[in-house]
Amino acid sequence: GSDPVMASVIGTLKADLTAGPGDAARGKKAKGAVKNDAVQCLALCSLANIAGLELIQAMHVEVQRVLVAPSSTEQVRKKAALCLLRLTRTSPNLLSGREFAPRVANLLQDQHLGVLTSVMSLLSCLASQQTPEYEGLIPHVVHILSKLVMKKNCARDYLYYRTPSPWLQIKLLKFLQLYPNAIENNTAEYTSQLINVVSKIMIETDVSESINKSNADHAILFEAVNLIVVW
């Protein structure tokens, strides 16, 4: 039979993951939602740190459910994406790209840059394992990159020395490097948008008086050059 200790761990983690903020909102105290939010995050962190194969097989569906649930808060979605990243690194090909790609597409429409950064970390791992299955997400990635580079659309919390979320920009560019034929396989409008983004990075990156800003800007430039090399 199965290990009773492992069965207890799985049962506890499942109970904690299902204790979402929506349940607490129906209770007497609104602040209970914060407690349940924290419980979900702690459960996800625990699962990511243990990450045994038996635990992964038993829990990965629950983690996916929490990640895509409309009731999950930004903090929970960030933790769920990173937890799933750890699980897929431990157990490659855990997820079917054909089935999971549409879910990622929905996640890439999130307006919270912290969620997008975590989701891109997960997507980069998944795409490296099953590259063709995630090619359809390229337009979503280019759209996010365009908003950051062309429109400077970025919350103040994610500005780094006036550079919009450089870590996210780098993740987006690295994802695009997995698809050397991206320009050829898509519409002229999409191709033009991507070329404009890369051109602006190449032209406007300059040495700044701030070494931190200069490092961030040139890290983005480095990945843009790598993307051009791949093309």
Side-chain angles (χ1 to χ4, degrees):
S2 60
D3 185 351
V5 175
M6 181 58 69
S8 176
V9 170
I10 292 172
T12 301
L13 288 174
K14 282 187 176 180
D16 288 344
L17 286 180
T18 55
D23 299 330
R26 291 188 288 271
K28 294 182 179 180
K29 296 182 179 180
K31 65 180 181 180
V34 177
K35 292 183 179 179
N36 281 4
D37 188 42
V39 167
Q40 284 186 297
C41 289
L42 286 171
L44 291 164
C45 289
S46 300
L47 176 57
N49 280 305
I50 300 171
L53 292 178
E54 183 178 349
L55 201 56
I56 291 173
Q57 291 300 324
M59 295 297 302
H60 74 89
V61 174
E62 290 294 328
V63 176
Q64 293 179 57
R65 182 191 62 77
V66 171
L67 175 60
V68 301
S71 60
S72 295
T73 64
E74 288 88 354
Q75 293 298 326
V76 171
R77 289 201 296 275
K78 287 193 293 183
K79 289 289 191 298
L82 295 177
C83 177
L84 200 56
L85 169 62
R86 175 62 190 274
L87 302 188
T88 54
R89 283 176 173 171
T90 304
S91 182
N93 301 317
L94 179 68
L95 306 176
S96 167
R98 185 173 302 175
E99 296 176 2
F100 196 65
R103 295 184 175 185
V104 180
N106 290 332
L107 290 169
L108 290 176
Q109 298 177 45
D110 201 298
Q111 299 301 308
H112 193 283
L113 291 182
V115 174
L116 288 176
T117 303
S118 297
V119 169
M120 280 308 304
S121 295
L122 172 62
L123 176 56
S124 294
C125 177
L126 295 174
S128 67
Q129 295 173 355
Q130 304 176 45
T131 306
E133 301 294 344
Y134 295 94
E135 186 172 1
L137 301 180
I138 293 176
H140 296 279
V141 170
V142 173
H143 177 68
I144 298 168
L145 189 61
S146 179
K147 288 203 302 183
L148 293 172
V149 176
M150 307 300 289
K151 300 179 181 178
K152 306 292 184 183
N153 189 348
C154 180
R156 180 181 293 271
D157 290 344
Y158 290 90
L159 281 174
Y160 183 76
Y161 292 88
R162 301 188 306 280
T163 298
S165 193
W167 302 277
L168 178 54
Q169 290 192 50
I170 289 169
K171 291 178 187 295
L172 295 165
L173 289 166
K174 283 189 172 182
F175 171 80
L176 293 172
Q177 291 167 24
L178 295 173
Y179 301 95
N181 298 321
I183 290 182
E184 298 177 5
N185 294 340
N186 289 277
T187 64
E189 180 182 356
Y190 162 77
T191 302
S192 176
Q193 186 180 26
L194 182 53
I195 291 175
N196 288 340
V197 167
V198 174
S199 297
K200 184 168 184 178
I201 294 173
M202 298 290 294
I203 294 170
E204 296 191 359
T205 301
D206 200 358
V207 177
S208 170
E209 293 182 359
S210 168
I211 188 171
N212 293 313
K213 177 173 176 54
S214 187
N215 285 341
D217 291 346
H218 282 80
I220 296 169
L221 175 63
F222 181 81
E223 297 303 335
V225 171
N226 281 340
L227 180 57
I228 294 172
V229 171
V230 167
W231 289 345

